Amino acid sequence: MSQQEKIYVMKFGGSSLAGPKEIVQSASIVSEYSKGRSGLIVVCSAMGDTTDHLLKAIDFAKKGNIDNARQLIAEIKNHHQITLEKTVEDVEKRERCTEWISERFDELDKILLGISLLRDLSPRSSDYFLSFGEKLSTNIFDATLQSLGLKTKYLTGGEAGILTDESFGSAEPVAKPTNEKLRTTLLPLLKSDVIPVVTGYIAETLDSHEIITLGRGGSDYTATLIAAAIDANEVLLWSDVDGIMSADPKIIKNAKILEQISYLEAMEMSAFGAKAMQPRALEPAARKGIPVRIKNTFNPKVPGTLILSSDSVVNGVKTGVKAVGSLTNVGVINISGTSIVGSPGTAVKIFEILKELGVGILMMSQSVSENNVSLVIKRNELPKVVRAFRKDLLLEDTDGYDTEGAKESHSSRASANKNTKFSKLDYEDDVSIVAVLGRGMIGTPGIAGRVFSTVAKQGINIRMIAQGSSEINISFVIKDKDRNKAVAALHEEFVV
Ligand code: ASP
Ligand code: MG
């Protein structure tokens, strides 16, 4: 590549590599971008939902159900082989890849058998097992690109240079060695006009050189880590959406694509929108100010959403609000009682319980009087949290999730037990979070007032409110049945 040539890091998500048709389309994009230029790096996710299927196979094996596990793996193998046959035209390359894939599946089978015999699996072995999804997809994509005549090189994330700590399941790269190795591996390849084709999601531990993963959805992170290390000019995240939208187009027909947003806005919005991203995925790009573009593989002419540093965003919105998001499948827990007033230990205890259960808090609020704490969590985690809170924070208890069939009763009250930390717990499992988002809200008074009066005009009751101090997000909780109405009214009021 020549000195002034721009460097692009392109990541193709699972939906862009789901099968033969998708892979051919993604390959045509790489081929188009590389015409007459070099300076391109490709990062791949696993094909479609392969990672979910691998996890399911592990689950079967752990229960000793090797037949079902093998059945699932056989289906995955079949799908990869069919895809390979339909995408790699060059016979020699196809045969080599077929053999390579076959060997990987032999390896998978051995591990599976081991798991089913031991009925146990460490996070280390789980990462190793899951790494096959990206190895397979990337190898097939690499062979497809080669068969189109492109000069490429297949590399695992570790081979490329992503070197991490030992947190299996959600590894964190060690900055200095990672940046150094990424540069020494990738830059010479670019210089000799080779396109590195790198497995997303997978990395290598710095000390013991073991395969490790960056956590679910980690391929975006792979792309931004690479981009930051080699000072790339842009990251393109190819998926199956036209960009980040001002609202869910399934709810709002005239939702529009946001042309430009800041890194922080993107992080907030991705929690609500169609393009879910690991929150940390944008960090490396943000640190270096590298633009990240969300693109649709199946509609590549659409410019997509450009994510930039906040000073570079050209803001075409008339109000401070850029988007209205919503999250359903959540539940709210309220705990209250004068006995928690002035006892700082209560909040600590709550966090400890949630940490132990591995439950994340989506929203939280506490009244100044301190006699009420409300938490929003994922709905499917509600039963275990309610159970644990009752056990550890509310001594006397009776109904709800504790007693089979008593789920209708959503409230329980402790009698006058001296040791209770709080006296009342109730929960709702038919609620949604709605959020208005946008950095233009910062320091603009009156937005919250308008948000709530807009919702009130619809006759909707708000159960809980939270605003982060970043001021780019006002979130509130309402009943599920009111969600679409609230989103529509807010989108109409602020965005259209
Ligand atoms: N295949 C991995 C997952 O599904 C990583 C990714 O897609 O980014 O979580
Ligand atoms: Mg995936």
Side-chain angles (χ1 to χ4, degrees):
M1 68 181 286
S2 64
Q3 215 77 64
Q4 59 282 42
E5 209 147 44
K6 289 197 165 144
I7 302 178
Y8 293 103
V9 179
M10 285 192 174
K11 174 252 170 179
F12 291 91
S15 58
S16 300
L17 303 168
K21 218 173 62 231
E22 292 80 4
I23 288 188
V24 167
Q25 173 65 12
S26 295
S28 78
I29 288 170
V30 175
S31 172
E32 193 60 36
Y33 265 80
S34 61
K35 257 193 201 123
R37 62 180 307 287
S38 49
L40 198 60
I41 294 174
V42 171
V43 174
C44 301
S45 286
M47 287 177 67
D49 298 326
T50 304
T51 310
D52 292 323
H53 296 145
L54 291 173
L55 272 169
K56 224 189 244 161
I58 289 181
D59 223 46
F60 278 131
K62 263 199 323 208
K63 292 180 182 132
N65 193 343
I66 186 72
D67 292 342
N68 280 357
R70 279 191 162 141
Q71 166 82 31
L72 245 177
I73 297 296
E75 283 163 22
I76 298 174
K77 181 176 180 182
N78 189 34
H79 185 56
H80 279 78
Q81 277 171 337
I82 288 175
T83 301
L84 172 69
E85 267 152 39
K86 292 195 174 154
T87 52
V88 183
E89 281 180 11
D90 183 307
V91 180
E92 200 196 308
K93 288 195 168 62
R94 193 195 314 150
E95 274 170 9
R96 216 179 319 132
C97 195
T98 306
E99 205 181 304
W100 190 89
I101 286 181
S102 196
E103 284 164 14
R104 299 290 81 71
F105 278 97
D106 290 346
E107 251 183 280
L108 274 176
D109 190 64
K110 282 194 197 108
I111 310 170
L112 217 48
L113 196 60
I115 302 169
S116 79
L117 291 173
L118 295 169
R119 305 246 172 143
D120 192 28
L121 182 80
S122 65
R124 170 184 267 104
S125 327
S126 171
D127 270 8
Y128 186 66
F129 194 82
L130 294 178
S131 74
F132 282 80
E134 267 71 9
K135 284 186 201 156
L136 291 161
S137 64
T138 309
N139 211 274
I140 293 176
F141 197 53
D142 180 58
T144 307
L145 294 174
Q146 285 195 8
S147 138
L148 289 176
L150 300 177
K151 245 177 23 178
T152 67
K153 183 172 169 61
Y154 164 88
L155 297 158
T156 63
E159 285 164 352
I162 303 181
L163 305 171
T164 73
D165 62 10
E166 310 262 325
S167 324
F168 288 90
S170 180
E172 191 52 43
V174 186
K176 199 158 176 279
T178 293
N179 288 333
E180 273 166 15
K181 187 167 173 196
L182 283 171
R183 293 182 74 84
T184 50
T185 326
L186 299 175
L187 292 176
L189 289 172
L190 296 182
K191 223 175 238 141
S192 45
D193 296 334
V194 172
I195 303 174
V197 183
V198 185
T199 61
Y201 182 53
I202 316 177
E204 193 178 295
T205 57
L206 176 65
D207 296 330
S208 50
H209 306 290
E210 282 175 279
I211 293 249
I212 194 163
T213 73
L214 301 171
R216 292 304 309 272
S219 300
D220 291 336
Y221 196 30
T222 304
T224 55
L225 283 166
I226 291 176
I230 62 167
D231 292 309
N233 297 80
E234 192 169 303
V235 177
L236 295 104
L237 302 178
W238 293 91
S239 70
D240 59 354
V241 295
D242 280 338
I244 296 179
M245 311 282 291
S246 60
D248 182 349
K250 281 189 229 105
I251 303 177
I252 305 296
K253 291 279 165 295
N254 59 350
K256 50 182 194 173
I257 303 163
L258 299 171
E259 281 170 35
Q260 295 191 4
I261 55 174
S262 70
Y263 297 111
L264 205 59
E265 285 174 329
M267 286 180 208
E268 293 272 346
M269 287 175 194
S270 77
F272 293 97
K275 174 69 183 106
M277 250 184 288
Q278 259 192 8
R280 61 180 179 169
L282 287 173
E283 270 167 31
R287 209 175 348 102
K288 286 278 184 100
I290 301 169
V292 176
R293 201 185 278 278
I294 310 286
K295 292 280 286 177
N296 189 346
T297 303
F298 310 102
N299 200 5
K301 290 218 164 65
V302 172
T305 298
L306 190 58
I307 307 171
L308 301 159
S309 69
S310 44
D311 343 319
S312 329
V313 173
V314 178
N315 209 331
V317 232
K318 57 180 190 290
T319 64
V321 177
K322 274 191 194 164
V324 183
S326 65
L327 269 185
T328 181
N329 293 321
V330 302
V332 61
I333 303 182
N334 303 299
I335 49 180
S336 55
T338 43
S339 55
I340 62 172
V341 175
S343 102
T346 311
V348 174
K349 188 79 195 149
I350 290 172
F351 289 128
E352 271 172 8
I353 294 172
L354 294 173
K355 184 169 175 232
E356 193 145 304
L357 295 172
V359 170
I361 303 175
L362 298 169
M363 252 173 92
M364 180 167 179
S365 78
Q366 185 187 11
S367 60
V368 178
S369 72
E370 288 188 52
N371 73 19
N372 181 295
V373 179
S374 301
L375 299 169
V376 182
I377 58 174
K378 286 193 189 135
R379 193 172 296 166
N380 61 0
E381 295 179 326
L382 203 55
K384 65 177 175 189
V385 173
V386 168
R387 247 180 250 128
F389 277 6
R390 285 195 177 138
K391 188 167 149 283
D392 295 340
L393 294 173
L394 186 82
L395 287 183
E396 177 154 330
D397 179 53
T398 44
D399 49 22
Y401 284 116
D402 285 30
T403 330
E404 237 176 297
K407 199 170 155 270
E408 320 76 60
S409 173
H410 284 355
S411 172
S412 56
R413 196 179 290 272
S415 58
N417 188 320
K418 294 278 183 311
N419 296 324
T420 34
K421 295 281 195 325
F422 56 88
S423 50
K424 189 167 183 279
L425 178 152
D426 55 64
Y427 63 89
E428 293 171 76
D429 56 7
D430 55 352
V431 293
S432 294
I433 299 179
V434 173
V436 291
L437 308 135
R439 56 181 282 281
M441 296 195 288
I442 300 175
T444 310
I447 301 244
R450 258 171 85 195
V451 167
F452 298 125
S453 63
T454 304
V455 176
K457 259 188 234 144
Q458 300 295 315
I460 297 168
N461 186 25
I462 295 178
R463 342 275 304 175
M464 175 179 167
I465 298 170
Q467 178 182 21
S469 55
S470 69
E471 282 190 65
I472 73 169
N473 172 346
I474 299 173
S475 305
F476 58 91
V477 174
I478 54 175
K479 287 287 185 194
D480 276 336
K481 65 171 173 50
D482 296 325
R483 175 177 74 133
N484 291 3
K485 215 159 62 171
V487 172
L490 290 167
H491 195 264
E492 185 69 34
E493 171 76 16
F494 289 104
V495 187
V496 179

